[in-house]
Each structure stands twice: as structure tokens, then as C-alpha cells.
Amino acid sequence: QMYLSESGGGSVQAGGSLRLSCTASGDTGLKYCMGWVRQAPGKEREGVAAINTDGTTAYADSVKGRFTISQDNTKNILYLEMNSLKPEDTAMYFCAGGGFEPGSWLLKHPSQFNSWGQGTQVTVSS
């Protein structure tokens, strides 16, 4: 069992930046794809970014060029650097892990991640 805990959410104005962090414990390691998934009120969960076990990354088109996913394997921390934020980025952001499929596939099928954090709210005002 993998346990995930996010931090770093908050409120910013459009054009601003935030960095989300996710600390993993329990059954961690390099054998799983990790990612970030967001959900806005009244909308389905959307895969945002994923990082594969070989370090390659995948992004949703809506965030490509603005968001960067990375991880510190020594500390079991996953990051999401978010720049040029837009009001449409407003959502609850969840750290997700335990995925065995490639990140590009998991972004389209986020329910296939096996472990989830509690979420952190990101609000972007115009």
C-alpha cells in the first residue's frame, strides 16, 4: 500500500505560479508511474502530468509548456511546478501513484492509478 500526502496548494492570480509537493510512504519505489490528477467542481477527473519509472514525462495538452512534473527519488517526493496559471486551472489537485501503465495512457485513464492523496486546492483568480 502506498500512502500519498499533498501540499502546496493555494490561491494565486492569473499568470502566477505554484509548486505542489507529494510525499510518498509505504510501498514506494521506482516501479510505479506517478502523476497528478485534478478535478474541478462538476467536472470529471483530468490527468494533468505523469512521470514514468524511466523518468520520462507526459502532460495533458492543456498544461503542456506551463507545468513540469519531477520527483526526488531519494526523498520519495513528487513535484508539480505550475507556471502561467489560468483561471481554468482551478481545481482540487490529487497526487496519484501505483500505476503500472505508461503515463501517457494513465493521463487518459486516471482511475487506473491505484493510490491517491487527499488532494490540495488550487484557485486561480482572473
Side-chain angles (χ1 to χ4, degrees):
Q1 180 72 33
M2 181 186 294
Y3 301 94
L4 303 171
S5 179
E6 306 95 334
S7 62
S11 297
V12 295
Q13 290 190 326
S17 298
L18 282 173
R19 187 175 80 159
L20 305 183
S21 299
C22 171
T23 301
S25 59
D27 183 20
T28 61
L30 298 179
K31 55 184 181 292
Y32 300 120
C33 177
M34 303 290 295
W36 291 92
V37 177
R38 68 186 179 186
Q39 187 168 23
K43 295 188 176 181
E44 294 185 355
R45 286 189 174 183
E46 176 190 18
V48 174
I51 185 163
N52 295 307
T53 56
D54 63 0
T56 56
T57 56
Y59 297 93
D61 288 343
S62 58
V63 306
K64 204 170 292 184
R66 300 187 298 122
F67 290 12
T68 302
I69 188 172
S70 63
Q71 62 185 14
D72 182 336
N73 294 325
T74 62
K75 299 180 180 179
N76 290 328
I77 301 176
L78 183 72
Y79 299 102
L80 184 68
E81 186 76 34
M82 304 185 294
N83 298 313
S84 301
L85 282 161
K86 304 175 181 180
E88 50 264 44
D89 294 318
T90 295
M92 185 72 79
Y93 283 71
F94 298 90
C95 176
F100 292 102
E101 302 295 337
S104 56
W105 186 88
L106 285 165
L107 290 186
K108 298 176 182 178
H109 305 87
S111 63
Q112 296 304 303
F113 280 109
N114 294 317
S115 300
W116 295 83
Q118 80 285 355
T120 186
Q121 178 68 37
V122 172
T123 302
V124 184
S125 59
S126 58

